[in-house]
Amino acid sequence: MRLIRFCFIIFGCAVIFLSCGDGKKSPYRKDSKGNTVPVEDYVCVAIDETFQPIFEVLVKDFRDRNAKAFTDPLFMPEDDAVKMLLADSVRSIVITRSLKTEEKDYLFAKHNLKTKEGIVAFDAITLIANLENKDTLISVDEIKKIVEGKITDWSRLKHNNGQSGEIEIVFDNNGSSTVRYMQDSLCAGGKLKGKLRAAKTHEELINYVKHKKNTIGVLGVDWVGNPNDSTRLSFLSDIRIMKVAAEYSSDPDDYYLPYQFYISTGSYPLTRCLYIITTDPRVRSLEKHFFYYITDNPNHNNMGQMMILKFSQLLPYMAVQSHNVVIKRY
């Protein structure tokens, strides 16, 4: 199914990406919506769909700041974004890992393209549960044993609060970066085991957990932030966000929610980097300008980084100040 899906993507986008980044044949091309746009002003980026909420904001802000830009964000599983870069179907991607040496070598040997990459932000892998679930505290070791198939029932968790029942893990899809994170970071590259389910979209994943007790949903933190809270200090109210500790503790205060502050201090243990990678050889293109817009680049006023800080649950790569506040009651 994954092969069929990828072939469909490539076939459907064959005309769209035929001249992506190459203005020698024609000064114009078709974007993903079939519009004719100038190649020079076209900004085509394949983005891990885990980060769709904030990148919809970033792309709009970039377009507002650059009137000439024709932005074309393509949201898809991380695996598909990498495949499109390697096929030279797109020349910029946003994913949660650096390219491997063999991937960089392939791009240079096959397309004579070098890569440039930068860190955009830090994400938190978030675990969500049904509101009926009594247990919201979990350690990294327990998560590891669940995805290794060694813990299959809630009663085996140390903070189970009397809850029992078969644990079901729900991911966004089989080719997602969250699946790879679990495999690489917790299972040393091994196959995930236990009762697993793959949703088609993040919305489907959240909705499934809302209606199914004993499930644990695994997704990026930006999908669970409360859109009505400008302080970024609350999450969706119709699901539970599980608190995670690096190791087991009987003290609930040793378990943390995926707030930006706890990501920055390392208290929340399930974190990863978010990268933008481009093969665009042009020096002053708008696509290259987008690269600098969302990375920690003082020459571009860190505007993209400021947008990430203000409008997402992610921690931007730029240095962020934190202050202790003491509230006195009189």
Side-chain angles (χ1 to χ4, degrees), residues 48-89:
D48 181 344
E49 59 194 2
T50 304
F51 307 97
Q52 183 170 344
I54 182 56
F55 269 87
E56 287 181 341
V57 174
L58 288 169
V59 168
K60 182 181 183 302
D61 182 67
F62 179 80
R63 186 171 59 244
D64 290 343
R65 296 176 186 276
N66 299 272
K68 291 179 61 180
F70 289 87
T71 53
D72 197 7
L74 307 171
F75 298 105
M76 61 186 67
E78 182 178 83
D79 283 357
D80 292 344
V82 173
K83 289 173 183 176
M84 295 193 78
L85 186 76
L86 294 177
D88 197 26
S89 296

Side-chain angles (χ1 to χ4, degrees), residues 21-158:
D22 182 3
K24 294 180 180 180
K25 295 182 179 179
S26 170
Y28 297 96
R29 51 154 300 147
K30 297 286 187 180
D31 68 7
S32 62
K33 300 178 181 63
N35 301 313
T36 300
V37 298
V39 171
E40 182 181 354
D41 304 326
Y42 186 54
V43 181
C44 176
V45 187
I47 302 167
D48 181 344
E49 59 194 2
T50 304
F51 307 97
Q52 183 170 344
I54 182 56
F55 269 87
E56 287 181 341
V57 174
L58 288 169
V59 168
K60 182 181 183 302
D61 182 67
F62 179 80
R63 186 171 59 244
D64 290 343
R65 296 176 186 276
N66 299 272
K68 291 179 61 180
F70 289 87
T71 53
D72 197 7
L74 307 171
F75 298 105
M76 61 186 67
E78 182 178 83
D79 283 357
D80 292 344
V82 173
K83 289 173 183 176
M84 295 193 78
L85 186 76
L86 294 177
D88 197 26
S89 296
V90 295
R91 287 190 171 174
S92 293
I93 61 174
V94 176
I95 59 174
T96 61
R97 67 173 177 87
S98 296
L99 286 186
K100 300 173 184 177
T101 300
E102 54 266 32
E103 291 170 331
K104 295 178 181 179
D105 291 343
Y106 177 85
L107 281 166
F108 186 75
K110 180 71 173 179
H111 307 294
N112 196 31
L113 293 171
K114 295 182 179 180
T115 61
K116 181 177 180 63
E117 66 181 51
I119 299 177
V120 177
F122 299 96
D123 180 38
I125 297 293
T126 305
L127 308 180
I128 64 173
N130 185 277
L131 286 178
E132 293 186 30
N133 285 47
K134 301 175 182 178
D135 182 18
T136 59
L137 305 180
I138 194 166
S139 69
V140 171
D141 183 62
E142 288 175 316
I143 300 168
K144 181 175 183 292
K145 288 180 179 178
I146 290 172
V147 295
E148 287 178 337
K150 297 178 181 178
I151 291 181
T152 59
D153 195 282
W154 284 90
S155 61
R156 296 279 307 281
L157 299 176
K158 295 181 179 179

